[in-house]
Amino acid sequence: MAKELSRCLTAIQPSATLAIDSKAKALKAAGLDVVGFGAGEPDFNTPAHVIRAAIKAMEEGKTRYTPAAGTPELRKAICAKLERDNGLTYTPEQIVVSNGAKHSLFNALQAVCNPGDEVILPAPYWVSYFELIKMAGGVPVLVHTSEDSGFLASVKQLEQALTPKTKAIILNSPCNPTGAVYSAGQLKEIADFAVKNDLYVISDEIYECLVYDGTVHTSIASFGPEIKELTVVVNGLSKAYAMTGWRIGYTASNTAIAKAMSNYQSHATSNPNSIAQAASIAALEGDQEEQRRMVSEFSRRRQYMMQRIAGINGITAVTPKGAFYVFANISGLLGKKYGDRTITCAMDFADLLLENGNTAVVPGEAFGDPHYIRLAYATDMQSIIKGMDRIERFVGQLTD
Ligand code: PMP
Ligand code: GLU
């Protein structure tokens, strides 16, 4: 009999968001006209000046190993970005560049967790946090938020989740999947709570530039030296510059955490891609006009999607303030039937919709709530119109 595989690895679930995206892409490749509201991946091309910078980097021979934590030039450019956009002052030694923000989150959790440490995770949560905490030997402690509170966790809830084993809190504002954005006042309260209880805050700010209707993003690290010392700011290029395939993410943290992550990464992956690093400097330092255009297009799609949802019986949604997802409540459809199949949870709804309505959505189970589905509006308007038509038709075919 084969020897047992690692228990740590076999306990990990696959990423539902990536799985649904692969399934939708495979169906499309097989010739089916599938609309993908699955993975959160901007449909825009990477800006031309970023692509040119990558070509130039290759021609200039920037095709070799770089320091494991990233080139000094990119780390300097990241420091300038953090100063410019977030009012945060870091030195390049406090920046670690990794293979996407997901890798940065992995490193951050590996750096702060010892086996059995508890990490507070507001739910609904992005699918990977739960597994990343487990991968670091930590224990996810969920704090359930609801539509009534705008999907925001209060300090009171965090206090209730606190135990002597609590080590860190994961914050994701703007939030995937709910689109919730914490106000500066709410973040200040959470910062005070973290400082009082000596908790690390892993602050995933990857959607910071995707905010709508005058909403402002604030980094929790900006409320003074004590909270800055405890915070690992996570960010990346994937969403802000339509660079999902380039795989560049980064952290800004205190020097001890940065050193631990850099050492770890030096054995696990070495540096992230040298060409993508050079291109990232062009993205961060160059013209930000394309980003502004992307944000206004996302906002237009978001409004359209919300308007269509309002016209579908049994589905409701809170208007998202950020990111590019609508987290739609399908409680009103649970118990209904498609043919002889009963919809008991979001997974049933998503399966039946994909099979019968050729539209991919992510079931809320992936984010800790089976009453919701997540619709990404990071796809073109034509497809959004088609997908919403299909959802409306599909829901219209459900019976009691
Ligand atoms: N954090 C959140 C909340 C995300 O939605 C994503 C999307 N993939 C990531 C991190 C990771 O992004 P990437 O690894 O592409 O930089
Ligand atoms: N973050 C995106 C999503 O939630 C991309 C897929 C992933 O990395 O999980 O859909």
Side-chain angles (χ1 to χ4, degrees):
M1 209 174 85
K3 295 217 177 187
E4 187 193 14
L5 295 179
S6 147
R7 267 170 240 145
C8 182
L9 264 67
T10 49
I12 301 302
Q13 298 302 311
S15 160
T17 43
L18 292 181
I20 282 149
D21 188 48
S22 304
K23 195 167 167 185
K25 282 178 178 155
L27 289 171
K28 259 190 206 167
L32 266 156
D33 172 26
V34 170
V35 175
F37 290 148
E41 171 165 43
D43 57 312
F44 302 104
N45 290 330
T46 301
H49 69 277
V50 177
I51 292 174
R52 278 198 301 275
I55 295 169
K56 187 159 168 272
M58 283 188 275
E59 285 170 351
E60 285 175 354
K62 291 183 178 156
T63 51
R64 298 174 184 275
Y65 291 135
T66 75
T71 62
E73 295 79 12
L74 176 55
R75 285 192 276 167
K76 236 170 96 191
I78 291 168
C79 288
K81 177 258 172 263
L82 291 165
E83 187 84 58
R84 175 189 74 201
D85 298 343
N86 311 106
L88 294 170
T89 307
Y90 287 99
T91 60
E93 304 73 60
Q94 296 177 307
I95 308 298
V96 178
V97 186
S98 302
N99 299 287
K102 198 181 275 186
H103 186 203
S104 303
L105 287 161
F106 172 80
N107 283 342
L109 284 158
Q110 296 289 329
V112 304
C113 285
N114 280 313
D117 282 350
E118 293 178 358
V119 179
I120 297 179
L121 178 60
Y125 50 80
W126 175 50
V127 60
S128 289
Y129 297 134
F130 196 87
E131 302 299 325
L132 285 167
I133 295 168
K134 288 190 340 201
M135 285 156 87
V139 179
V141 174
L142 299 182
V143 162
H144 291 278
T145 69
S146 67
E147 265 178 59
D148 308 337
S149 60
F151 292 116
L152 297 167
S154 66
V155 166
K156 198 161 163 231
Q157 284 179 300
L158 299 178
E159 264 159 7
Q160 279 161 358
L162 188 71
T163 78
K165 288 189 179 164
T166 311
K167 192 66 165 291
I169 308 170
I170 293 193
L171 261 194
N172 175 215
S173 178
C175 174
N176 174 6
T178 64
V181 180
Y182 286 83
S183 70
Q186 287 160 329
L187 287 172
K188 170 80 173 75
E189 282 179 24
I190 297 175
D192 291 344
F193 168 78
V195 169
K196 184 171 146 209
N197 295 290
D198 200 20
L199 303 176
Y200 291 110
V201 177
I202 297 175
S203 178
D204 182 347
E205 304 180 13
I206 195 151
Y207 294 103
E208 72 163 322
C209 66
L210 303 180
V211 284
Y212 314 108
D213 303 334
T215 304
V216 177
H217 163 81
T218 307
S219 174
I220 191 164
S222 65
F223 292 107
E226 286 175 304
I227 185 64
K228 182 167 170 247
E229 184 66 15
L230 288 167
T231 303
V232 181
V233 175
V234 176
N235 209 327
L237 284 280
S238 286
K239 320 286 171 173
Y241 299 99
M243 289 175 69
T244 45
W246 299 69
R247 311 307 304 131
I248 297 292
Y250 58 86
T251 52
S253 65
N254 73 37
T255 311
I257 294 180
K259 197 153 178 265
M261 290 191 292
S262 170
N263 290 346
Y264 190 75
Q265 180 163 302
S266 75
H267 294 292
T269 60
S270 301
N271 61 277
N273 181 294
S274 60
I275 302 148
Q277 286 192 63
S280 296
I281 299 176
L284 292 170
E285 291 182 345
D287 187 0
Q288 307 293 306
E289 187 47 37
E290 252 178 85
Q291 190 181 86
R292 281 188 280 275
R293 265 203 299 276
M294 262 190 330
V295 176
S296 87
E297 176 58 19
F298 281 139
S299 184
R300 195 169 77 91
R301 297 172 182 179
R302 175 188 67 123
Q303 272 154 353
Y304 175 78
M305 212 177 235
M306 287 304 296
Q307 193 188 313
R308 290 297 305 268
I309 286 172
I312 303 176
N313 263 340
I315 309 190
T316 58
V318 174
T319 306
K321 291 188 174 155
F324 40 50
Y325 309 100
V326 171
F327 202 51
N329 188 333
I330 59 154
S331 304
L333 301 175
L334 300 184
K336 291 197 181 280
K337 286 191 170 145
Y338 185 87
D340 58 0
R341 282 190 53 193
T342 306
I343 297 177
T344 59
C345 57
M347 193 86 86
D348 291 340
F349 180 92
D351 277 347
L352 286 166
L353 178 65
L354 185 56
E355 280 164 30
N356 303 287
N358 281 355
T359 302
V361 301
V362 185
E365 283 86 343
F367 312 107
D369 199 324
H371 301 95
Y372 291 81
I373 52 168
R374 191 192 75 177
L375 307 165
Y377 47 90
T379 187
D380 66 282
M381 198 61 170
Q382 275 316 89
S383 305
I384 293 179
I385 295 171
K386 191 156 56 168
M388 294 313 294
D389 286 346
R390 289 178 182 179
I391 293 177
E392 190 171 341
R393 202 175 319 125
F394 173 77
V395 171
Q397 288 165 350
L398 301 180
T399 56
D400 288 325

mmCIF file of all heavy atoms in Angstrom, residues 166-185:
data_model
loop_
_atom_site.group_PDB
_atom_site.id
_atom_site.type_symbol
_atom_site.label_atom_id
_atom_site.label_comp_id
_atom_site.label_asym_id
_atom_site.label_seq_id
_atom_site.Cartn_x
_atom_site.Cartn_y
_atom_site.Cartn_z
ATOM 1 N N THR A 166 -5.356 34.072 20.318
ATOM 2 C CA THR A 166 -5.503 34.900 19.113
ATOM 3 C C THR A 166 -4.173 35.557 18.770
ATOM 4 O O THR A 166 -3.546 36.205 19.617
ATOM 5 C CB THR A 166 -6.576 35.995 19.333
ATOM 6 O OG1 THR A 166 -7.744 35.385 19.859
ATOM 7 C CG2 THR A 166 -6.888 36.695 18.019
ATOM 8 N N LYS A 167 -3.789 35.404 17.517
ATOM 9 C CA LYS A 167 -2.496 35.965 17.093
ATOM 10 C C LYS A 167 -2.667 37.091 16.086
ATOM 11 O O LYS A 167 -1.892 38.048 16.071
ATOM 12 C CB LYS A 167 -1.701 34.824 16.431
ATOM 13 C CG LYS A 167 -0.234 35.088 16.166
ATOM 14 C CD LYS A 167 0.537 35.234 17.442
ATOM 15 C CE LYS A 167 2.035 35.141 17.303
ATOM 16 N NZ LYS A 167 2.546 33.842 16.951
ATOM 17 N N ALA A 168 -3.676 36.968 15.244
ATOM 18 C CA ALA A 168 -3.788 37.937 14.147
ATOM 19 C C ALA A 168 -5.235 38.070 13.691
ATOM 20 O O ALA A 168 -6.080 37.229 14.000
ATOM 21 C CB ALA A 168 -2.916 37.480 12.981
ATOM 22 N N ILE A 169 -5.469 39.153 12.945
ATOM 23 C CA ILE A 169 -6.770 39.381 12.294
ATOM 24 C C ILE A 169 -6.484 39.554 10.809
ATOM 25 O O ILE A 169 -5.506 40.212 10.447
ATOM 26 C CB ILE A 169 -7.429 40.709 12.771
ATOM 27 C CG1 ILE A 169 -7.488 40.796 14.282
ATOM 28 C CG2 ILE A 169 -8.794 40.901 12.154
ATOM 29 C CD1 ILE A 169 -7.894 42.182 14.787
ATOM 30 N N ILE A 170 -7.339 38.969 9.983
ATOM 31 C CA ILE A 170 -7.231 39.264 8.551
ATOM 32 C C ILE A 170 -8.297 40.298 8.211
ATOM 33 O O ILE A 170 -9.471 40.131 8.535
ATOM 34 C CB ILE A 170 -7.418 37.999 7.690
ATOM 35 C CG1 ILE A 170 -6.237 37.061 7.926
ATOM 36 C CG2 ILE A 170 -7.545 38.367 6.200
ATOM 37 C CD1 ILE A 170 -6.100 35.925 6.954
ATOM 38 N N LEU A 171 -7.857 41.360 7.568
ATOM 39 C CA LEU A 171 -8.788 42.403 7.116
ATOM 40 C C LEU A 171 -8.679 42.493 5.613
ATOM 41 O O LEU A 171 -7.575 42.453 5.071
ATOM 42 C CB LEU A 171 -8.345 43.749 7.688
ATOM 43 C CG LEU A 171 -9.003 44.308 8.910
ATOM 44 C CD1 LEU A 171 -8.609 45.782 9.031
ATOM 45 C CD2 LEU A 171 -10.519 44.210 8.878
ATOM 46 N N ASN A 172 -9.827 42.600 4.967
ATOM 47 C CA ASN A 172 -9.803 42.724 3.503
ATOM 48 C C ASN A 172 -10.784 43.815 3.111
ATOM 49 O O ASN A 172 -11.978 43.587 3.034
ATOM 50 C CB ASN A 172 -10.178 41.363 2.880
ATOM 51 C CG ASN A 172 -10.298 41.419 1.374
ATOM 52 O OD1 ASN A 172 -11.129 40.741 0.777
ATOM 53 N ND2 ASN A 172 -9.477 42.210 0.725
ATOM 54 N N SER A 173 -10.242 45.006 2.889
ATOM 55 C CA SER A 173 -11.080 46.156 2.545
ATOM 56 C C SER A 173 -10.416 46.910 1.396
ATOM 57 O O SER A 173 -9.249 47.280 1.538
ATOM 58 C CB SER A 173 -11.228 47.062 3.765
ATOM 59 O OG SER A 173 -11.981 48.212 3.463
ATOM 60 N N PRO A 174 -11.124 47.085 0.280
ATOM 61 C CA PRO A 174 -12.423 46.547 -0.126
ATOM 62 C C PRO A 174 -12.423 45.015 -0.120
ATOM 63 O O PRO A 174 -11.401 44.392 -0.401
ATOM 64 C CB PRO A 174 -12.612 47.071 -1.552
ATOM 65 C CG PRO A 174 -11.712 48.270 -1.645
ATOM 66 C CD PRO A 174 -10.567 48.007 -0.739
ATOM 67 N N CYS A 175 -13.613 44.475 0.177
ATOM 68 C CA CYS A 175 -13.710 43.038 0.432
ATOM 69 C C CYS A 175 -14.141 42.212 -0.786
ATOM 70 O O CYS A 175 -15.077 42.569 -1.492
ATOM 71 C CB CYS A 175 -14.716 42.826 1.566
ATOM 72 S SG CYS A 175 -15.100 41.102 1.897
ATOM 73 N N ASN A 176 -13.449 41.124 -0.968
ATOM 74 C CA ASN A 176 -13.879 40.058 -1.872
ATOM 75 C C ASN A 176 -14.421 38.973 -0.952
ATOM 76 O O ASN A 176 -13.668 38.502 -0.106
ATOM 77 C CB ASN A 176 -12.654 39.543 -2.654
ATOM 78 C CG ASN A 176 -12.971 38.335 -3.513
ATOM 79 O OD1 ASN A 176 -14.104 37.932 -3.625
ATOM 80 N ND2 ASN A 176 -11.933 37.744 -4.091
ATOM 81 N N PRO A 177 -15.686 38.607 -0.988
ATOM 82 C CA PRO A 177 -16.642 38.756 -2.072
ATOM 83 C C PRO A 177 -17.702 39.858 -1.899
ATOM 84 O O PRO A 177 -18.489 40.041 -2.812
ATOM 85 C CB PRO A 177 -17.361 37.405 -2.013
ATOM 86 C CG PRO A 177 -17.468 37.122 -0.539
ATOM 87 C CD PRO A 177 -16.179 37.641 0.035
ATOM 88 N N THR A 178 -17.764 40.574 -0.763
ATOM 89 C CA THR A 178 -18.969 41.395 -0.512
ATOM 90 C C THR A 178 -18.900 42.802 -1.094
ATOM 91 O O THR A 178 -19.929 43.468 -1.205
ATOM 92 C CB THR A 178 -19.233 41.533 1.010
ATOM 93 O OG1 THR A 178 -18.119 42.245 1.575
ATOM 94 C CG2 THR A 178 -19.389 40.194 1.687
ATOM 95 N N GLY A 179 -17.693 43.282 -1.395
ATOM 96 C CA GLY A 179 -17.550 44.655 -1.875
ATOM 97 C C GLY A 179 -17.624 45.680 -0.749
ATOM 98 O O GLY A 179 -17.656 46.883 -0.997
ATOM 99 N N ALA A 180 -17.661 45.200 0.513
ATOM 100 C CA ALA A 180 -17.725 46.119 1.657
ATOM 101 C C ALA A 180 -16.398 46.866 1.812
ATOM 102 O O ALA A 180 -15.329 46.312 1.519
ATOM 103 C CB ALA A 180 -18.021 45.335 2.936
ATOM 104 N N VAL A 181 -16.490 48.112 2.263
ATOM 105 C CA VAL A 181 -15.287 48.915 2.508
ATOM 106 C C VAL A 181 -15.413 49.523 3.903
ATOM 107 O O VAL A 181 -16.427 50.156 4.218
ATOM 108 C CB VAL A 181 -15.136 50.052 1.455
ATOM 109 C CG1 VAL A 181 -13.877 50.881 1.719
ATOM 110 C CG2 VAL A 181 -15.103 49.486 0.035
ATOM 111 N N TYR A 182 -14.414 49.315 4.755
ATOM 112 C CA TYR A 182 -14.431 49.894 6.105
ATOM 113 C C TYR A 182 -14.130 51.387 6.021
ATOM 114 O O TYR A 182 -13.250 51.801 5.256
ATOM 115 C CB TYR A 182 -13.382 49.220 6.991
ATOM 116 C CG TYR A 182 -13.762 47.819 7.428
ATOM 117 C CD1 TYR A 182 -13.530 46.726 6.600
ATOM 118 C CD2 TYR A 182 -14.354 47.589 8.663
ATOM 119 C CE1 TYR A 182 -13.874 45.434 6.991
ATOM 120 C CE2 TYR A 182 -14.707 46.318 9.070
ATOM 121 C CZ TYR A 182 -14.470 45.235 8.230
ATOM 122 O OH TYR A 182 -14.813 43.976 8.624
ATOM 123 N N SER A 183 -14.844 52.188 6.837
ATOM 124 C CA SER A 183 -14.554 53.620 6.881
ATOM 125 C C SER A 183 -13.309 53.828 7.744
ATOM 126 O O SER A 183 -12.896 52.942 8.505
ATOM 127 C CB SER A 183 -15.726 54.370 7.502
ATOM 128 O OG SER A 183 -15.797 54.064 8.884
ATOM 129 N N ALA A 184 -12.737 55.027 7.634
ATOM 130 C CA ALA A 184 -11.543 55.328 8.428
ATOM 131 C C ALA A 184 -11.853 55.186 9.923
ATOM 132 O O ALA A 184 -11.045 54.647 10.690
ATOM 133 C CB ALA A 184 -11.048 56.729 8.106
ATOM 134 N N GLY A 185 -13.055 55.616 10.330
ATOM 135 C CA GLY A 185 -13.428 55.533 11.748
ATOM 136 C C GLY A 185 -13.479 54.088 12.228
ATOM 137 O O GLY A 185 -12.984 53.767 13.320
#
